[in-house]
Amino acid sequence: MGARPNIDHLKELCGSNQLQHCFKYLFVQEWRENEDFIRYIAEKCAILEANIERGAQIMQEAESFGPFHDMAPDAVDCMVVTQQREQDMLAALMGVLDLAREGRTEKEHHVGLMDLKG
């Protein structure tokens, strides 16, 4: 029988020679990594949301000095572009976050199957 470096490594990591235990270990590790990823992306979304809100507040405050677009047209253009880019990034990250959360459900199901059979 030939070498099986991936399976042998899994057996070593989970401390069992039973293939079922190896796969459960793998699914649990993937579930944990997915949870860490969800937390990371959620933090990045919160930062972007705060940046977008701060940018809107800065633009609103600047308007209190008079028509912002008359005093600093380049700054207005830059703020608008930055706000749009950050909103686009937030929308993209929210899509990734949704996919990762769907993955959470899938991985929980996989671990549950391993529990039933293990």
Side-chain angles (χ1 to χ4, degrees):
M1 189 177 278
R4 298 176 311 242
N6 292 317
I7 298 297
D8 290 339
H9 184 68
L10 272 177
K11 286 179 179 179
E12 184 179 316
L13 289 173
C14 77
S16 174
N17 284 327
Q18 293 185 9
L19 200 52
Q20 190 68 20
H21 294 155
C22 294
F23 283 112
K24 180 177 179 186
Y25 174 84
L26 179 65
F27 288 121
V28 167
Q29 295 306 310
E30 288 177 356
W31 179 82
R32 288 180 182 151
E33 289 173 9
N34 196 61
E35 288 301 302
D36 291 343
F37 185 69
I38 288 170
R39 275 190 291 281
Y40 176 79
I41 295 299
E43 288 171 11
K44 294 301 177 187
C45 287
I47 291 168
L48 276 171
E49 288 171 336
N51 288 346
I52 291 166
E53 178 62 29
R54 187 172 37 103
Q57 289 173 354
I58 289 170
M59 289 177 66
Q60 186 177 15
E61 287 177 21
E63 285 284 342
S64 70
F65 297 118
F68 188 38
H69 54 81
D70 290 341
M71 295 185 321
D74 291 338
V76 171
D77 291 344
C78 291
M79 288 294 290
V80 168
V81 168
T82 297
Q83 287 289 89
Q84 186 59 55
R85 179 185 40 79
E86 289 188 345
Q87 289 172 352
D88 292 346
M89 289 169 47
L90 179 59
L93 285 178
M94 293 300 285
V96 169
L97 191 55
D98 288 343
L99 287 172
R101 287 177 175 152
E102 288 174 18
R104 169 194 287 157
T105 304
E106 179 182 291
K107 290 179 189 316
E108 287 173 348
H109 174 72
H110 291 164
V111 170
L113 287 174
M114 296 297 117
D115 282 340
L116 291 174
K117 300 187 185 210

